[in-house]
Amino acid sequence: ATAAWGEWNIQEPDGDTSKPLTGEIWGKPFELKEAVWNDVTLTLASDKRVDGWPESEVLIFMFDVNPGNAAVPTEWVFTSATDSFETPIPHVHMRFAKPGQQFSGAMAFTNEYAMRLKLVEKSDTQAQFEIHLSLPDYKKSYLIGQFVAQIQN
């Protein structure tokens, strides 16, 4: 899966994140509708809907990172080589619509993925991020670029 200026890269999440967020989730182009950051997750939901479900959604479980905390780290980098025993790795859940089904499909990743997530700027109500995320599913799902998340405390 390749975009004009970035690609899926499970080894090193070092693509150009200076452009608006783009990517593919479960083989479908991803267009951001909303991003929300709370004391548990950073959630990115697509603009399209299928049978009432977001066509795709990524939830990054940011353990011990509360957006209301003044000491929030500004960058997280994980690769498939990161030792999860030494470094707490966020869990990433990917949800995707399955036409005609009552529930969305879902996959959870606790390691073996690559992510560089950078907090560019934060206020009391929103945060600007840059991300390069590559997931180890066989469709090579990835997100790359900038976005703004609303903060829910």
Side-chain angles (χ1 to χ4, degrees):
T2 315
W5 46 272
E7 65 181 30
W8 181 86
N9 185 337
I10 203 73
Q11 302 303 320
E12 189 67 39
D14 60 359
D16 181 4
T17 57
S18 66
K19 297 187 168 110
L21 186 69
T22 188
E24 291 184 8
I25 299 296
W26 200 244
K28 302 279 187 185
F30 183 87
E31 293 179 30
L32 183 66
K33 176 182 180 183
E34 70 177 346
V36 176
W37 186 22
N38 61 34
D39 62 346
V40 178
T41 61
L42 175 60
T43 302
L44 306 167
S46 68
D47 191 32
K48 296 178 183 171
R49 298 190 79 72
V50 176
D51 295 332
W53 296 96
E55 183 176 68
S56 55
E57 187 173 51
V58 172
L59 294 90
I60 302 169
F61 288 82
M62 312 270 297
F63 303 114
D64 299 326
V65 177
N66 185 325
N69 186 341
V72 171
T74 58
E75 189 166 29
W76 300 264
V77 179
F78 305 98
T79 69
S80 58
T82 302
D83 185 345
S84 61
F85 290 108
E86 291 183 15
T87 306
I89 298 176
H91 293 188
V92 177
H93 291 201
M94 175 178 71
R95 295 183 190 160
F96 46 90
K98 296 172 72 178
Q101 301 293 315
Q102 284 187 309
F103 301 101
S104 63
M107 299 180 99
F109 305 98
T110 58
N111 58 14
E112 299 300 322
Y113 67 88
M115 178 176 73
R116 178 169 50 94
L117 179 64
K118 182 177 180 181
L119 176 59
V120 177
E121 191 174 344
K122 181 175 90 65
S123 71
D124 290 341
T125 59
Q126 63 184 22
Q128 180 182 350
F129 288 96
E130 292 180 2
I131 191 170
H132 188 178
L133 172 68
S134 296
L135 298 175
D137 61 302
Y138 79 92
K139 294 191 178 196
K140 297 186 176 181
S141 297
Y142 73 97
L143 294 175
I144 187 168
Q146 292 185 4
F147 64 94
V148 174
Q150 301 306 308
I151 294 176
Q152 290 182 341
N153 289 319

